[in-house]
Amino acid sequence: MQEIVHLLNEMSPYLLLGFLLAGVMHAFLPKSYYGRFLGDRSFKSVINAALFGIPLPLCSCGVIPTAMSLRKEGASKGATVSFLIATPQTGVDSIIATYSLMGLPFAIARPIAALLTSVFGGGLVNMSERNEPRQGCGESCSREPEEKKTFSARCIDALEYAFVEMMSDIGKWLAIGLLVAGLITVLVPESWFGIFKGNTFASMLLVLAIAMPMYVCATGSIPIAVALMLKGLTPGAALVLLMAGPACNLASMLVVHKVLGTRTTLVYILSIVIGAICFGTLIDWLQFSGSVDFLARLNTSYCGCCDGDSVFSIICSLVLALLLINALFIHRNIHKPNVTKDTMNAKTYHIEGMNCNHCRMSAEKALRSVEGVTNASVDLATGEALVEGTATREALAKALSEIGFTLKD
């Protein structure tokens, strides 16, 4: 418990700042800004997608409907894959949290690795899809107009998104990450990773095999990586966890295969694997050659006790804990669909594949875009969708399928 409290105190000031910056980006950056530069099937669109995705605070499930929507609006497959690889690996919140726990070298390495890996994967996809006809409506299609809001209204939106919706999305995984980190610190023997001494490639393959199928967010993976490094995992293998864990999971692989095809899925997976191993090897080489010390922050900050935690960090931890309780329990319980079963022509469906509030909002938007739908609302906790109108089930299922979700009766 002591180790978990210390990790939380180290992270909480930076996490609160990161959440706030994420909310500001969400509220003040126009949504059309992202789709505008991704439609061209060129290397430039791939770089744009990576640059747009790196600071976005989207997890590996929330990025799926966003990427599929970009694809539907005319983004090339390469740009879509680049966005899928770059976005979940980083975010303003996770970059700041990485600096707080792992130091400046890791905070710089993560976005650079995400950028180059995503550009590599997106470029390969565009090269393999040269002869495929373009899809999507592109710029000629009419788009939903941006809602005009006052500055104060946008500030409120930023705070609500940062400290309610976003915390609801990743709070559970952050808590799990802290718990796992504490258990690793207590239970894993100091010599456990000694079996990989002299063969860091084997440890990277082990980390890949464990991290890629499971769901772990960019921020929640940080305390796990720190705990493993304290037990002897090399910095390079830790970077593999920070890259491959958030960038890929079984759900995202299945959706990419369904929407973008087998060939694109293979390139997507291989890009993450190759990028993670290459950058992991580079990090270990820099560490062992003495060029960069990726363990300096760990050696100076983690003494196994919390005696040195400042009053400010403890206050930040308490604030963060209260916000997490509100987001995970109070707010989630009071959020209910605004379409009732008693409404005329309202039907109930179940949506599979949603894991965060961004997924919920994307599903609602997709349902409301179907001709004949007058209103639709989705409950994330139950996966229940209440749809009012005359739209057919087939039309609703098609709209959801295009962004990676499945409609069930």
Side-chain angles (χ1 to χ4, degrees):
M1 187 64 184
Q2 194 175 27
E3 288 78 8
I4 297 174
V5 171
H6 180 58
L7 285 172
L8 179 61
N9 289 336
E10 286 285 332
M11 292 180 67
S12 57
Y14 298 91
L15 280 175
L16 291 173
L17 177 60
F19 280 128
L20 179 60
L21 292 176
V24 170
M25 289 178 56
H26 172 82
F28 287 92
L29 196 61
K31 307 300 182 294
S32 59
Y33 188 74
Y34 295 102
R36 192 181 305 164
F37 303 99
L38 309 182
D40 186 23
R41 189 181 296 168
S42 65
F43 191 66
K44 182 179 179 181
S45 70
V46 171
I47 296 177
N48 287 339
L51 292 175
F52 289 156
I54 284 173
L56 285 182
L58 289 176
C59 57
S60 56
C61 65
V63 71
I64 294 173
T66 304
M68 297 306 106
S69 295
L70 290 175
R71 173 62 178 161
K72 184 180 178 182
E73 291 180 2
S76 65
K77 279 191 176 182
T80 304
V81 168
S82 179
F83 187 83
L84 277 169
I85 294 174
T87 306
Q89 290 189 56
T90 59
V92 288
D93 58 318
S94 63
I95 293 173
I96 294 174
T98 300
Y99 171 75
S100 72
L101 284 186
M102 307 182 76
L104 184 61
F106 262 111
I108 295 174
R110 287 192 76 179
I112 291 177
L115 172 64
L116 296 181
T117 302
S118 59
V119 169
F120 172 70
L124 284 181
V125 170
N126 269 355
M127 290 177 60
S128 66
E129 302 289 340
R130 283 179 178 174
N131 298 323
E132 182 178 302
R134 286 192 60 178
Q135 297 180 9
C137 58
E139 290 294 332
S140 61
C141 181
S142 60
R143 300 184 187 273
E144 182 180 344
E146 292 285 345
E147 184 180 357
K148 294 183 178 180
K149 294 183 178 180
T150 64
F151 177 80
S152 59
R154 290 185 183 275
C155 289
I156 294 173
D157 283 349
L159 293 174
E160 183 177 358
Y161 178 81
F163 299 121
V164 179
E165 291 188 10
M166 190 178 172
M167 281 198 172
S168 179
D169 292 342
I170 73 170
K172 178 176 70 174
W173 305 108
L174 178 59
I176 291 173
L178 288 168
L179 178 60
V180 170
L183 292 175
I184 289 173
T185 303
V186 173
L187 300 178
V188 175
E190 295 288 344
S191 60
W192 197 83
F193 284 99
I195 60 175
F196 296 114
K197 188 174 182 179
N199 191 358
T200 57
F201 184 73
S203 64
M204 292 181 191
L205 292 180
L206 175 63
V207 170
L208 278 173
I210 296 173
M212 288 190 68
M214 70 177 185
Y215 177 90
V216 58
C217 71
T219 304
S221 62
I222 297 171
I224 299 175
V226 168
L228 290 174
M229 288 173 66
L230 289 172
K231 291 298 181 180
L233 188 70
T234 66
L239 182 67
V240 170
L241 170 65
L242 295 173
M243 290 179 65
C248 189
N249 59 54
L250 186 59
S252 63
M253 286 188 275
L254 293 175
V255 172
V256 172
H257 177 265
K258 178 181 178 181
V259 178
L260 300 180
T262 303
R263 180 169 54 186
T264 300
T265 304
L266 290 175
V267 175
Y268 162 71
I269 296 172
L270 286 175
S271 299
I272 295 171
V273 172
I274 293 172
I277 290 177
C278 288
F279 277 98
T281 303
L282 176 62
I283 293 299
D284 277 346
W285 179 80
L286 291 173
Q287 175 67 35
F288 298 147
S289 67
S291 302
V292 182
D293 188 0
F294 288 92
L295 299 175
R297 175 76 177 181
L298 301 181
N299 294 335
T300 57
S301 296
Y302 296 95
C303 60
C305 63
C306 53
D307 295 338
D309 293 337
S310 67
V311 174
F312 176 72
S313 65
I314 294 173
I315 293 174
C316 288
S317 296
L318 293 174
V319 172
L320 182 64
L322 291 174
L323 290 171
L324 285 172
I325 291 171
N326 173 69
L328 295 177
F329 300 103
I330 301 174
H331 174 76
R332 178 164 292 185
N333 288 333
I334 65 175
H335 176 78
K336 297 296 180 184
N338 55 25
V339 179
T340 66
K341 294 182 180 180
D342 296 331
T343 303
M344 182 106 27
N345 295 326
K347 296 181 180 179
T348 303
Y349 301 94
H350 187 80
I351 302 176
E352 292 184 349
M354 298 188 303
N355 292 291
C356 67
N357 277 291
H358 192 86
C359 296
R360 174 184 62 79
M361 291 186 289
S362 297
E364 285 183 349
K365 182 178 179 181
L367 292 172
R368 291 170 182 167
S369 69
V370 176
E371 185 177 355
V373 173
T374 56
N375 199 5
S377 190
V378 178
D379 186 352
L380 176 63
T382 63
E384 187 178 80
L386 294 175
V387 182
E388 180 183 354
T390 59
T392 64
R393 184 196 180 285
E394 290 73 20
L396 298 174
K398 184 176 184 296
L400 290 172
S401 177
E402 289 176 345
I403 58 172
F405 300 138
T406 303
L407 186 70
K408 300 288 185 181
D409 291 322

